Amino acid sequence: MPAVSKGDGMRGLAVFISDIRNCKSKEAEIKRINKELANIRSKFKGDKALDGYSKKKYVCKLLFIFLLGHDIDFGHMEAVNLLSSNRYTEKQIGYLFISVLVNSNSELIRLINNAIKNDLASRNPTFMGLALHCIANVGSREMAEAFAGEIPKILVAGDTMDSVKQSAALCLLRLHRASPDLVPVGDWTSRVVHLLNDQHLGVVTAATSLITTLAQKNPEEFKTSVSLAVSRLSRIVTSASTDLQDYTYYFVPAPWLSVKLLRLLQCYPPPEDPAVRGRLTECLEAILNKAQEPPKSKKVQHSNAKNAVLFEAISLVTHHDSEPNLLVRACNQLGQFLQHRETNLRYLALESMCTLASSEFSHEAVKTHIETVINALKTERDVSVRQRAVDLLYAMCDRSNAQQIVAEMLSYLETADYSIREEIVLKVAILAEKYAVDYTWYVDTILNLIRIAGDYVSEEVWYRVIQIVINRDDVQGYAAKTVFEALQAPACHENLVKVGGYILGEFGNLIAGDPRSSPLTQFHLLHSKFHLCSVPTRALLLSTYIKFVNLFPEVKGTIQDVLRSDSQLKNADVELQQRAVEYLRLSTVASTDILATVLEEMPPFPERESSILAKLKKKKGPSTVTDLEEAKRERSADVNGGPEPALASTSAVSTPSPSADLLGLGAAPPVPAGPPPSSGGLLVDVFSDSPSAAAPLAPGSEDNFARFVCKNNGVLFENQLLQIGLKSEFRQNLGRMFIFYGNKTSTQFLNFTPTLICSDDLQANLSLQTKPVDPTVDGGAQVQQAVNIECVSDFTEAPVLNIQFRYGGTFQNVSVKLPITLNKFFQPTEMASQDFFQRWKQLSNPQQEVQSIFKAKHPMDTEVTKAKIIGFGSALLEEVDPNPANFVGAGIIHTRTAQIGCLLRLEPNLQAQMYRLTLRTSRETVSQRLCELLSEQF
Amino acid sequence: MKSEDTQQQIIRETFHLVSKRDENVCNFLEGGLLIGGSDNKLIYRHYATLYFVFCVDSSESELGILDLIQVFVETLDKCFENVCELDLIFHVDKVHNILAEMVMGGMVLETNMNEIVTQIDAQNKLEKSEAGLAGAPARAVSAVKNMNLPEIPRNINIGDISIKVPNLPSFK
C-alpha cells in the first residue's frame, strides 16, 4: 500500500492547482491567483467562523501561491490558529506555513512560541516533533531565546522517544549555529556525548552532528567523544553488513554515520591513548582496503556510499598528518580516482589532493601526478573539475615545478572560463613571485598575464610588480627594456600602459643609451597611448612626463609643450588639469637641484606581505588557502595593515622624501571615490612633511572617531559613494551597535563585504559578533548590520571597520575606526562630596592617577562641558568640588572580568584657555585610556 | 531567512545553472555569491525530467548528499507508488512532510528509508482517522488529464533546500 494515498486530500486545492496549470499565460495565472487570494481573504474576514478543514485548505492554497513566487501578506494569523488545533493534519499545515513563510513579525512570534511551548510539553511525540521542526526551520534569535534552555532537557531525558531525541539534537544544533551565545552549556553536555552509544543509529547520527559542531568551539569539553566515536566506527567498519539492518545502504554499513564520525574525529588531534589510536588506524586501514576489493554491487549507489566513507577517511588521515604510511596510501588511492571514469570521483580526488599537497609526508607523492592534473586542465569538459585542477596545481607548486605550472596556467588562461580568470590571474601572480629565482622570469610572467588577461589583472597585481621592480635593482634595466618592447604592440592593455608608464618614469634612463629607445622615443611611445586611456592612467602618465623632465633634460621642451596644450591645461577633469598646471609650473620655476630632489627615484618599499594573497583569500574563503605557511603569513599581513592595496598605504607612510606620492599611485584612485584631500592639492602634499592623507584609514576618520566618544549615534563616514551611520547602545559590559551602510549612488555595489578587524590584543579584550551582510547593495538602498559587543577586559585600541566592494568596474576599499571605546561601558555613580574625597584619597597610588594638561580646542562653555562629561558616561557630581568652576565625575567601568571604579576631575583655566584633567582609577591602563579619550573632547 | 525575491532569484539561477549542464559532468557546482559564496555547493541529481538540487555547506559529504537525494527519491516512490511529477505538484504538503522526515532545519535527520516510511505511514493513519472523524470531503480529486503545462517552471522551496520541478510530463 502506498504510504500517501492519492485520493486523500483537499478537493478545492486540487482544483485550484489544475486551474493554475491550465492557464495559458502568465497574465491568466496572475488573474486566477488574485481571484483566489480575494476569495480566501473574504473567507478569512467573513462573519462565519471557519472550520479547521477550511482553514487548512486555504492556508495550503496560500502556501502553494507563495511557492509559485507570489507575495503573501495575510493568512499568518490563520496559520497560527491552526497550531493550537488538536488535529494533527491542521497543526501540521500550520507549522508548514510558519516554517516556509515566517517573517519576524514580533507579535506573531510570541503566539507561535506559545503554541510551540504547549506542543513541546504535550508529551505527544508527533506534536513534539512538529514543534522541534518548526524551531529548527525558523531558527530565529527569538526562538533561541525561548527554547535554547528547554531543548537540552528533552534531548537527554531518559523517557524521550528516539525520533524526538533525533529532532531535539538537530534542533539544538541549528540554534547553536544561529545564536551560539544563547545555547547554554551545562551538565547535559556530558550526557550528550553518551548518545554516541545509543542503540538507535538515527539518534547517534544526529548526536554526532551536534557534538561535531560543539566540539569545534569547545574541544576540551567534548574530549571523551573521541574514544566513543572510535569504538562506534570500529563496530561499523568491521561488522558484517547484515548487523546494521536498515542502516545498511546498498551493501555499505551505515555510510552516513561513518562519515559523521570521521568528521567528528577531525576536530581532534590523533588520539593519545595508544589503544584507541591503534583501533582507529585499523579502521582507516580497513576502509582503505575495502576500496581495493571488488564492488558488491554494480549500482552507482553502492560505490557512492563506499567512496563517501573513503574520502572522509582520507580527510581524517590528512588532518592527523602523522602516519606517513597512510598518507602515501591515501595519495595513491586518490591517484587512481584521478583517472576514474566517474566525473564525481575525479572532482573529489582533485579536491582532496589539495589538502594532501600541504603535508610534508605526501607532498612529493602528490607531485608525481602533475601530468595527470595538467591533462585534466586541458581535457575536462566540466568547469567545476577544471577549477579543482587549477586549485591542485596551485597547491602542489614548489620551486621545482613552478616554471612548468605557471606556464601551464598561463596557457590555460587563454581559453579559461571567464568565471575563473581573475582567480587564475591572482594565483599565477602569487606563484610567480613566490618561486621566482630569476626576476626576469617574474617580470615576463606578469607582462604575459597582462597581455593574455589584462581585464582580469587587478590593481593589486600590477602594484605588486612595481613594488618588486623598485626594490630589486638587478631587474630594473630588464623591466624597462621589456615594457618598452611590450608597449610597441599596436594594441596593448591599459594595465600595461600603467606599468610601462611607471617603470619608464623611474628607470627609463637605464635604456636611454640605446638609440632605439632614446628618451624622445620613449616619450612618444607612451604619449601615443595617452589619448586612449582612462583618466587615472592619464594622470599617471602626466607624472611620468614630469619624471622624464628630470631624467632627460633634453625632452623638457617637448613635454612642456604637451603640458601647455589646451587639452591638458584646460582639461575638464580637475585632477588632470591640476597636474598639468602644477607640473608645468614645477618644470619652469624649479632649479635642476630642486627638480632632482622632488622627482627623485622612488625609495624601496618596505618588505611586506603581498596584498595579492589577501585578495585571493577574500575571493576564495580562508579554507582554500591550503599552504599552512601561507595561511600564517597571511594572517600576519592582515594584522599589519588590513587588506588595503599595499602600495597605496606604504608609498606615503614609508617615504620620508618629499616626492612621496608624486607618481600618483596612492593619490589617484581609479574613480572619484577618493576623498578630495588626497587628489587635490598635490603640490601642497609634495612639499609638506605630513603624510597624513595617505594613511590607511580614510581621511577624517580620526576626527569622526573622536566625535563619537561622547555620543552613540550619527554619521561615521561619508564620501561620494558611501555613507556609514551608527546607532548604538550599551549596558554594563554589553553593547549592541547597528551600522547602516547607505549606497549614495544609483548603481549597485557588488561583493559588498564589511569586515571588523581587531588586533590580537584587542580581540582578547573585546568580543565582537556580527553576521555578514548581503553582498549586493542596490543603488539608493541602505543595509544594516548589527554588532554584538562584549567588553571582556579593559582595552585601548579601537576595532577597524574595513569595507570592500565593487562599484562599476572598480574595487573600493574603505577603512574607518569604529568608535567602540572603553568609556562606553561606564555606569554613572552618584555620590556625596565626602564619599568622593574619601575614595579619591584611597586611589592615591601614583600608578592610579593620570593627569593631562592641554589647551582648549573649543570655546570653554560650562554647559557644553557638562554635557560632554555626561555623554562620556560618568555621573556629573554637583557641589562636590570646593571650587565651583571645576567638574568632577564618577562611574564604574564594567568588563566581564572586573568592575573598575573611576573618578575624574576637570579644572578649566579660562585665562590661559587651558584644562587640567585628572583621572583616578584602580587600574593604570584604564586611567591612561580614559584620560586620552576625554582630553580630546574639550 | 532570505527575502522572497532572493529565494525566487536563487531558484531561477539554480535552474539556469543546472539545466544547461551536460550529462557525464560532475554533480557538484561551486556556489555562486547568491547561495553564500564558495563554502556552499549545489549538489544535484537528474532523474528523467526532474532535477533535485540541494544546497549544502562544507559540513556535509558530497557523495553522502548524492545518496541522500537517492533515498529521498526512493522514498517518494514508495510513498506515492510510482511517483510522477504531478504527485509532487499536487501534494506539495506531502512532499514537504517526507522531506521534513529526512532534513530538518537544513541538517540531515534520518537516512534510513524504512524509518522514514514508517513515520509517514503513522502520519497517514492519523490523517485518516481524523478525516473519518470530521467526515470532511476527503475522497475526491479531480482527474487531471491536461498535461499541457504553461511555460513557467514549477518549483517547490523549502528553506535552504529547493527542488526544481521543471515542466515536463513523466517522472520515470
Side-chain angles (χ1 to χ4, degrees):
Chain A
M1 191 202 84
V4 175
S5 52
K6 296 178 189 174
D8 294 352
M10 291 160 278
R11 186 171 187 309
L13 177 66
V15 170
F16 173 61
I17 295 177
S18 38
D19 277 0
I20 293 283
R21 291 166 52 83
N22 286 334
C23 289
K24 295 281 189 282
S25 66
K26 187 87 190 162
E27 290 72 36
E29 180 186 306
I30 292 174
K31 217 173 140 200
R32 178 67 186 88
I33 285 173
N34 285 337
K35 189 179 146 203
E36 193 63 40
L37 286 175
N39 172 39
I40 300 174
R41 205 172 268 141
S42 75
K43 285 284 191 317
F44 281 166
K45 280 206 179 126
D47 308 329
K48 233 173 59 189
L50 291 175
D51 59 11
Y53 170 80
S54 313
K55 262 192 230 159
K56 171 183 153 181
K57 183 176 72 185
Y58 294 130
V59 167
C60 229
K61 280 182 181 173
L62 288 179
L63 188 62
F64 188 82
I65 294 171
F66 174 75
L67 292 176
L68 285 177
H70 300 270
D71 277 350
I72 297 295
D73 52 8
F74 69 103
H76 297 79
M77 200 57 214
E78 283 71 18
V80 172
N81 282 338
L82 286 175
L83 296 186
S84 40
S85 163
N86 279 326
R87 297 241 173 97
Y88 164 74
T89 39
E90 289 167 15
K91 199 186 267 295
Q92 181 262 332
I93 289 285
Y95 271 123
L96 178 54
F97 185 92
I98 304 287
S99 301
V100 176
L101 259 141
V102 84
N103 54 21
S104 30
N105 186 331
S106 58
E107 290 156 49
L108 282 182
I109 281 285
R110 254 192 299 127
L111 293 173
I112 295 168
N113 281 358
N114 219 5
I116 292 178
K117 202 164 271 166
N118 291 336
D119 281 334
L120 283 183
S122 71
R123 301 193 149 262
N124 173 335
T126 317
F127 290 1
M128 289 171 87
L130 286 175
L132 289 168
H133 269 96
C134 182
I135 302 173
N137 282 328
V138 177
S140 66
R141 219 177 148 77
E142 288 84 358
M143 286 203 171
E145 272 161 9
F147 301 112
E150 189 58 29
I151 294 164
K153 291 182 202 149
I154 297 175
L155 177 59
V156 297
D159 57 350
T160 306
M161 298 256 302
D162 287 336
S163 64
V164 176
K165 258 190 215 168
Q166 239 168 309
S167 303
L170 289 189
C171 189
L172 195 56
L173 170 53
R174 175 62 209 269
L175 294 184
H176 183 272
R177 281 188 182 179
S179 334
D181 51 318
L182 292 180
V183 175
V185 278
D187 44 358
W188 59 273
T189 46
S190 62
R191 295 171 65 187
V192 165
V193 173
H194 285 279
L195 289 178
L196 289 176
N197 275 332
D198 201 280
Q199 292 276 317
H200 190 281
L201 288 199
V203 174
V204 184
T205 310
T208 312
S209 298
L210 174 63
I211 295 168
T212 304
T213 302
L214 295 176
Q216 274 160 2
K217 209 174 163 209
N218 204 344
E220 211 38 44
E221 185 104 5
F222 293 89
K223 224 173 156 184
T224 46
S225 62
V226 173
S227 62
L228 291 178
V230 170
S231 63
R232 191 91 215 195
L233 180 67
S234 150
R235 267 179 281 157
I236 297 170
V237 173
T238 55
S239 76
S241 56
T242 49
D243 296 358
L244 296 158
Q245 305 127 2
D246 289 347
Y247 283 86
T248 297
Y249 175 83
Y250 288 89
F251 305 102
V252 182
W256 285 279
L257 178 54
S258 309
V259 166
K260 290 280 174 203
L261 290 169
L262 289 162
R263 278 276 158 109
L264 169 58
L265 291 170
Q266 285 171 56
C267 301
Y268 290 94
E272 282 159 19
D273 180 346
V276 178
R277 191 173 177 153
R279 210 160 166 203
L280 179 57
T281 308
E282 266 171 38
C283 287
L284 294 171
E285 275 171 350
I287 294 170
L288 283 167
N289 289 340
K290 277 187 191 169
Q292 299 301 328
E293 289 169 10
K296 294 197 177 103
S297 155
K298 288 220 160 59
K299 286 241 163 82
V300 66
Q301 280 78 2
H302 172 69
S303 65
N304 262 355
K306 195 163 115 175
N307 291 327
V309 178
L310 177 61
F311 275 110
E312 216 51 60
I314 291 176
S315 290
L316 181 60
V317 169
T318 318
H319 168 78
H320 283 171
D321 198 15
S322 61
E323 303 262 359
N325 171 34
L326 285 176
L327 280 163
V328 171
R329 277 190 69 183
C331 186
N332 292 339
Q333 181 62 55
L334 294 178
Q336 285 181 21
F337 284 151
L338 284 184
Q339 319 248 21
H340 203 280
R341 60 187 168 76
E342 272 276 324
T343 315
N344 286 340
L345 292 182
R346 296 199 301 276
Y347 173 96
L348 293 171
L350 288 166
E351 189 177 61
S352 303
M353 259 199 188
C354 270
T355 42
L356 217 47
S358 57
S359 160
E360 55 171 316
F361 299 114
S362 49
H363 183 78
E364 287 304 314
V366 170
K367 272 169 62 184
T368 59
H369 299 288
I370 184 168
E371 296 302 334
T372 319
V373 183
I374 288 173
N375 199 35
L377 196 59
K378 289 178 177 159
T379 59
E380 283 289 352
R381 292 167 51 214
D382 184 349
V383 57
S384 301
V385 184
R386 291 196 294 271
Q387 165 101 58
R388 291 283 82 82
V390 172
D391 287 348
L392 179 53
L393 283 178
Y394 178 74
M396 67 161 71
C397 192
D398 62 18
R399 212 167 281 284
S400 74
N401 56 19
Q403 300 229 355
Q404 185 190 5
I405 286 179
V406 165
E408 291 293 348
M409 283 190 174
L410 272 176
S411 80
Y412 173 57
L413 195 52
E414 309 224 21
T415 55
D417 309 76
Y418 294 107
S419 55
I420 57 176
R421 283 197 182 182
E422 185 180 359
E423 192 188 316
I424 298 177
V425 167
L426 290 174
K427 287 188 160 151
V428 169
I430 291 168
L431 292 178
E433 178 187 337
K434 193 167 167 192
Y435 298 116
V437 186
D438 171 2
Y439 277 87
T440 60
W441 173 71
Y442 170 77
V443 170
D444 287 342
T445 304
I446 300 295
L447 292 182
N448 259 330
L449 263 189
I450 295 176
R451 185 178 55 76
I452 296 170
D455 285 343
Y456 298 89
V457 172
S458 55
E459 280 174 355
E460 287 86 348
V461 172
W462 73 263
Y463 281 5
R464 189 68 187 158
V465 69
I466 285 171
Q467 286 184 357
I468 286 176
V469 169
I470 289 193
N471 286 10
R472 306 195 61 92
D473 38 21
D474 53 335
V475 78
Q476 287 158 357
Y478 180 81
K481 181 164 161 282
T482 319
V483 291
F484 179 79
E485 279 162 11
L487 283 169
Q488 307 279 347
C492 47
H493 196 274
E494 192 166 332
N495 277 335
L496 181 67
V497 179
K498 290 180 186 164
V499 175
Y502 199 114
I503 288 182
L504 292 180
E506 295 291 324
F507 308 114
N509 55 330
L510 299 178
I511 56 169
D514 188 328
R516 284 166 300 176
S517 50
S518 71
L520 202 60
T521 322
Q522 287 184 38
F523 172 71
H524 284 312
L525 181 60
L526 285 174
H527 200 54
S528 69
K529 317 281 181 194
F530 187 89
H531 302 280
L532 301 170
C533 291
S534 64
V535 168
T537 308
R538 285 197 231 170
L540 186 150
L541 286 178
L542 288 179
S543 298
T544 303
Y545 299 168
I546 189 72
K547 286 236 160 184
F548 274 2
V549 168
N550 175 45
L551 287 181
F552 314 120
E554 64 265 41
V555 298
K556 182 169 167 182
T558 318
I559 287 174
Q560 283 178 330
D561 287 345
V562 169
L563 293 175
R564 205 175 283 128
S565 72
D566 278 357
S567 63
Q568 309 298 350
L569 274 190
K570 295 187 178 164
N571 196 297
D573 184 273
V574 62
E575 173 71 25
L576 292 181
Q577 194 187 83
Q578 185 169 7
R579 284 193 188 214
V581 171
E582 288 172 357
Y583 290 164
L584 181 60
R585 191 80 190 133
L586 181 67
S587 69
T588 325
V589 300
S591 70
T592 333
D593 279 355
I594 291 178
L595 267 186
T597 317
V598 172
L599 302 170
E600 199 181 9
E601 187 181 304
M602 289 292 280
F605 292 92
E607 278 307 325
R608 54 183 284 158
E609 206 31 67
S610 159
S611 53
I612 309 179
L613 267 177
K615 166 109 178 175
L616 182 67
K617 185 177 140 198
K618 273 205 76 62
K619 217 174 144 44
K620 292 282 284 175
S623 54
T624 44
V625 179
T626 46
D627 188 325
L628 277 181
E629 177 203 4
E630 218 163 72
K632 252 184 251 149
R633 281 196 283 138
E634 237 175 66
R635 225 171 296 134
S636 63
D638 268 357
V639 174
N640 284 344
E644 300 277 299
L647 195 63
S649 51
T650 47
S651 59
V653 175
S654 61
T655 356
S657 100
S659 68
D661 52 11
L662 194 55
L663 261 186
L665 265 184
V671 289
S678 69
S679 50
L682 190 67
L683 267 195
V684 183
D685 277 358
V686 164
F687 293 115
S688 83
D689 283 335
S690 77
S692 61
L697 288 172
S701 147
E702 205 58 63
D703 267 350
N704 268 343
F705 178 82
R707 285 200 290 115
F708 276 87
V709 168
C710 292
K711 67 172 189 176
N712 288 331
N713 306 329
V715 174
L716 176 65
F717 172 84
E718 185 154 11
N719 64 14
Q720 283 107 315
L721 305 179
L722 177 71
Q723 186 193 56
I724 305 175
L726 293 184
K727 267 190 183 171
S728 45
E729 46 180 299
F730 295 84
R731 192 184 297 162
Q732 302 208 323
N733 69 323
L734 300 178
R736 185 179 271 198
M737 176 177 274
F738 290 94
I739 310 177
F740 300 87
Y741 305 99
N743 180 346
K744 292 172 62 182
T745 72
S746 52
T747 315
Q748 264 192 345
F749 293 163
L750 297 172
N751 298 3
F752 187 85
T753 20
T755 322
L756 291 175
I757 302 163
C758 293
S759 67
D760 286 356
D761 260 354
L762 183 58
Q763 223 159 33
N765 298 326
L766 184 70
S767 140
L768 299 178
Q769 277 182 342
T770 183
K771 289 209 187 107
V773 299
D774 197 312
T776 315
V777 183
D778 287 330
Q782 192 183 55
V783 295
Q784 148 183 2
Q785 185 179 34
V787 185
N788 287 324
I789 306 159
E790 183 184 7
C791 174
V792 179
S793 179
D794 65 291
F795 62 95
T796 308
E797 292 162 83
V800 172
L801 174 65
N802 173 260
I803 297 131
Q804 306 194 2
F805 58 94
R806 279 193 172 278
Y807 165 73
T810 55
F811 176 73
Q812 302 290 325
N813 192 335
V814 174
S815 286
V816 285
K817 263 186 170 180
L818 202 58
I820 302 176
T821 46
L822 186 56
N823 64 297
K824 300 291 178 196
F825 305 95
F826 242 135
Q827 190 89 353
T829 321
E830 294 291 342
M831 57 179 80
S833 169
Q834 203 184 347
D835 288 344
F836 182 86
F837 283 105
Q838 193 186 346
R839 286 175 206 207
W840 185 263
K841 276 180 206 132
Q842 281 165 1
L843 295 170
S844 56
N845 195 319
Q847 277 106 43
Q848 294 168 331
E849 179 185 286
V850 172
Q851 195 168 70
S852 158
I853 297 168
F854 50 90
K855 259 204 122 53
K857 288 193 284 271
H858 305 284
M860 295 176 79
D861 179 316
T862 312
E863 285 319 304
V864 174
T865 308
K866 279 184 181 170
K868 280 185 175 164
I869 291 179
I870 292 170
F872 191 63
S874 67
L876 180 71
L877 303 178
E878 305 275 7
E879 298 176 9
V880 166
D881 200 297
N883 179 350
N886 291 348
F887 305 90
V888 292
I892 296 169
I893 297 277
H894 286 262
T895 73
R896 190 204 289 166
T897 48
Q899 300 191 347
I900 303 137
C902 310
L903 305 175
L904 67 89
R905 185 186 206 186
L906 181 70
E907 300 158 82
N909 179 340
L910 280 167
Q911 249 161 357
Q913 290 285 304
M914 301 272 283
Y915 285 105
R916 179 164 73 179
L917 174 65
T918 315
L919 253 297
R920 284 191 180 185
T921 80
S922 50
R923 199 173 290 184
E924 187 186 5
T925 47
V926 174
S927 307
Q928 189 68 48
R929 180 60 181 157
L930 291 179
C931 185
E932 281 166 24
L933 286 168
L934 192 56
S935 56
E936 289 301 313
Q937 298 301 316
F938 301 104
Chain B
M1 190 106 176
K2 311 239 180 200
S3 76
E4 288 155 32
D5 286 347
T6 324
Q7 288 185 22
Q8 291 296 330
Q9 199 188 345
I10 290 174
I11 293 174
R12 273 194 306 276
E13 290 198 8
T14 306
F15 178 69
H16 187 70
L17 278 175
V18 169
S19 62
K20 69 174 185 209
R21 286 172 66 84
D22 298 336
E23 289 300 310
N24 311 329
V25 298
C26 72
N27 300 71
F28 318 122
L29 268 178
E30 293 293 304
L33 273 179
L34 252 193
I35 58 164
S38 58
D39 198 35
N40 291 354
K41 277 193 183 128
L42 295 174
I43 299 180
Y44 72 97
R45 260 181 115 134
H46 187 183
Y47 293 88
T49 62
L50 293 182
Y51 287 94
F52 289 81
V53 185
F54 279 39
C55 167
V56 300
D57 64 16
S58 58
S59 69
E60 301 291 343
S61 143
E62 287 96 338
L63 290 173
I65 295 297
L66 272 187
D67 287 340
L68 191 74
I69 297 177
Q70 173 73 13
V71 173
F72 182 42
V73 172
E74 286 184 27
T75 311
L76 287 174
D77 199 43
K78 266 202 178 156
C79 292
F80 285 104
E81 214 173 46
N82 274 334
V83 65
C84 78
E85 182 187 323
L86 287 177
D87 292 324
L88 306 188
I89 295 175
F90 279 91
H91 300 280
V92 174
D93 52 326
K94 300 267 158 68
V95 176
H96 271 92
N97 283 354
I98 294 169
L99 190 62
E101 289 301 324
M102 303 179 59
V103 177
M104 170 173 163
M107 294 161 302
V108 182
L109 177 65
E110 182 57 73
T111 55
N112 172 356
M113 194 163 45
N114 292 336
E115 191 91 9
I116 300 164
V117 174
T118 313
Q119 293 286 347
I120 298 288
D121 270 337
Q123 289 171 16
N124 281 310
K125 280 204 191 97
L126 272 173
E127 196 170 320
K128 281 231 176 71
S129 66
E130 285 175 5
L133 216 80
R139 209 136 281 285
V141 75
S142 62
V144 186
K145 293 241 169 83
N146 194 340
M147 307 288 260
N148 178 11
L149 301 164
E151 275 183 338
I152 46 152
R154 306 286 163 200
N155 49 56
I156 309 167
N157 181 326
I158 309 150
D160 288 347
I161 288 161
S162 40
I163 308 165
K164 195 75 202 176
V165 186
N167 48 346
L168 291 157
S170 74
F171 179 68
K172 279 215 157 175

